[in-house]
Amino acid sequence: MSTAPEPAVPAFDPDRVRIFDTTLRDGEQSPGASMNLSEKLEVARVLAALGVDIIEAGFPIASVGDFESVRAIAGEITGSTVCGLARCNDKDIDRAWEAVKYAQKSRIHVFLATSAIHREHKLRMTPAQIIERAVASVRRARSYCHDIEFSPEDAARTELDFLCEVVAAAIEAGATTVNIPDTVGYATPTQYAAVIRTLRERVGNIGQAIISTHCHDDLGMAVANSLAGVEAGARQVECTINGIGERAGNAALEEIVMALKTRHDYFGLTTGIKTERLYPASRMVSTITGLLVQRNKAIVGRNAFAHEAGIHQDGMLKERSTYEIMRPEDVGVPRTDLVLGKHSGRHALRDRVTELGYTLTDEQIEVVFNDFKALADKKKEVYDQDLAILVEKHMEDIPAPWQLLSLHTTAGTSVLPTATVAIRRPDGEVVQDAAIGDGPVDAIFKAVERVTGVHANLHEFVVRNVTQGKDAQGEVTLELEVESDDRSFRGRAASTDIIEASALAYINAVNAIQTHKERGHVREVAGRPGAGA
Ligand code: KIV
Ligand code: ZN
């Protein structure tokens, strides 16, 4: 074991709040949100470009896949610190260090439950044993790395005296950040702030560490609790894009950041986030995880900047600030005006895509450009949202063993719905088949099933318009459940024709199933936080 040089007390600007993003760890624990390695890398790049201070890239001991994605992120990302999670035991800590050690800036995050409920029922450990284990683990982590975070899991329900004791011992052992999780989303803002304040008043060495918040949203108070924690002196907030996470989720990054920015007059604090990248980041995480953002979601929901009432519209026309406290462009919400047309060239496309917050290679631009031309032929008006869909389609890195070549459906009030599909198989052969169904979409799904031989239950099917106008693009998101595997797979596609989008989304999910089978990938969960930690 290497011995790291003496700790430097973290020098920090007291007016700056660090943003610790855990979309790739706690966020990935949202049911149905697991991501593959290339998807995680894609999200990590977006987070780094957004300016997050720390990216919690995963829980390396949980599976080989988790380990490899944390290591890949650590090897590539610059600017942001890359953090790996570990329970308080040697194997977890060693594995976490193996995964993050090549990062430009690495952090190990160790956690151990401290509340009486967890101590007695889950861990069966006495308070003295908890302190001993926490200290030994922080020391071990500190022997590898200078930047160590310690979390007393379920801190918000831990007796305050004991919490102060554990936190003091963890700092003494070398923790540079102490995180105070409200693991089950039980706290209220006043109570949570009191916990942070008490730590600041009663823990003698608290000045040697940054206090962090980590709030879950079970009672819908994650953001309010985090901000109350900040007001009480916390200077790191743990959060996720779109608030995804275990159960009801975590505090939403975009809400925390925009609350601090918009109410700078009140909080007097800043973050390093490039807020105009929030909306593209939200869309990207939603695309990759398949977790849709509710329409009325603050900051990034589709209605967040829509004004319906006449009285509001009138006020807006006279003076925006009457009803708007943030400008859509401040968070990167695409403009609704016409941006590009049939005759626009590659340069204009690249400029607009960059303005929207996406970074694409020359090859990706070329592919998006071809799709853009095809879309501009079908659709008179190409909006920013249309471009976002085209770009995101090519950012998904799922190989496509099965490809839809053509599709024909018949449906109506007095005909039997029928679908004929031509599909290229993974070996290159083109196969045609037809099926009847309860409607044209059902017929397509049955025809695809006949060709591919992939049997799955349709679990969820959502169609929504994602751009505006009569010729808007429709987006289909669906989930297929494979019983033999006890797993579900997402598919997503957009088109001006929702029947075509349905077929493409279904094949997208079938491809995910095929790729999963080829890799023989079985997720070996070694213990998620909260389950035996
Ligand atoms: O909610 C929680 O307590 C956690 C810890 C691992 C920080 O996610
Ligand atoms: Zn959590």
Side-chain angles (χ1 to χ4, degrees), residues 457-515:
N457 299 323
L458 182 65
H459 189 54
E460 198 178 272
F461 178 76
V462 181
V463 186
R464 56 179 194 146
N465 68 315
V466 274
T467 59
Q468 62 269 86
K470 278 199 188 138
D471 53 1
Q473 292 202 73
E475 184 182 60
V476 173
T477 317
L478 52 79
E479 203 174 297
L480 297 184
E481 219 172 44
V482 182
E483 267 170 27
S484 57
D485 228 353
D486 194 23
R487 261 203 63 157
S488 48
F489 297 83
R490 292 179 309 275
R492 185 161 170 150
S495 166
T496 47
D497 171 356
I498 56 164
I499 300 285
E500 185 192 358
S502 305
L504 291 169
Y506 195 90
I507 291 182
N508 189 226
V510 167
N511 281 330
I513 296 172
Q514 173 94 18
T515 309

Side-chain angles (χ1 to χ4, degrees), residues 52-256:
V52 309
D53 298 282
I54 303 108
I55 298 173
E56 186 161 57
F59 186 22
I61 196 83
S63 72
V64 175
D66 276 38
F67 175 81
E68 263 152 22
S69 38
V70 177
R71 195 166 53 167
I73 291 167
E76 179 182 314
I77 294 299
T78 53
S80 312
T81 297
V82 178
C83 171
L85 182 68
R87 289 168 296 187
C88 276
N89 67 61
D90 293 356
K91 264 173 100 177
D92 274 39
I93 295 166
D94 297 353
R95 192 82 171 140
W97 174 240
E98 274 307 307
V100 298
K101 70 179 175 190
Y102 296 116
Q104 186 193 44
K105 291 183 268 178
S106 347
R107 173 179 292 191
I108 302 175
H109 175 190
V110 290
F111 73 102
L112 181 64
T114 50
S115 65
I117 298 178
H118 282 240
R119 287 192 321 256
E120 285 157 25
H121 301 289
K122 186 177 82 172
L123 300 173
R124 303 213 165 87
M125 287 169 79
T126 63
Q129 288 170 325
I130 296 277
I131 293 193
E132 196 185 324
R133 175 86 72 86
V135 166
S137 300
V138 170
R139 283 207 184 117
R140 186 174 186 95
R142 189 63 204 243
S143 71
Y144 290 130
C145 173
H146 301 292
D147 189 347
I148 303 301
E149 173 167 329
F150 172 73
S151 287
E153 190 190 8
D154 205 17
R157 290 193 300 169
T158 299
E159 309 92 307
L160 269 176
D161 288 345
F162 183 55
L163 186 64
C164 290
E165 225 184 302
V166 179
V167 165
I171 297 173
E172 175 67 27
T176 45
T177 300
V178 283
N179 181 38
I180 307 301
D182 179 20
T183 303
V184 291
Y186 184 72
T188 66
T190 314
Q191 179 212 341
Y192 189 73
V195 173
I196 305 289
R197 219 170 282 119
T198 304
L199 290 171
R200 293 185 70 206
E201 284 161 10
R202 303 222 316 240
V203 174
N205 55 4
I206 198 75
Q208 293 171 35
I210 290 176
I211 304 178
S212 169
T213 68
H214 179 110
C215 298
H216 280 270
D217 209 30
D218 301 66
L219 293 173
M221 291 190 278
V223 169
N225 288 340
S226 308
L227 291 171
V230 166
E231 271 197 84
R235 286 296 175 268
Q236 174 180 287
V237 175
E238 302 201 353
C239 43
T240 58
I241 301 285
N242 299 335
I244 65 170
E246 186 83 37
R247 306 180 311 278
N250 290 63
L253 180 149
E254 59 280 4
E255 295 178 24
I256 299 284

Side-chain angles (χ1 to χ4, degrees), residues 256-284:
I256 299 284
V257 167
M258 289 314 289
L260 292 175
K261 180 170 171 159
T262 310
R263 296 307 312 275
H264 186 265
D265 62 316
Y266 178 75
F267 291 104
L269 299 168
T270 58
T271 71
I273 297 297
K274 299 180 185 74
T275 61
E276 66 288 354
R277 288 181 172 265
L278 285 170
Y279 184 80
S282 158
R283 271 213 56 101
M284 145 80 90

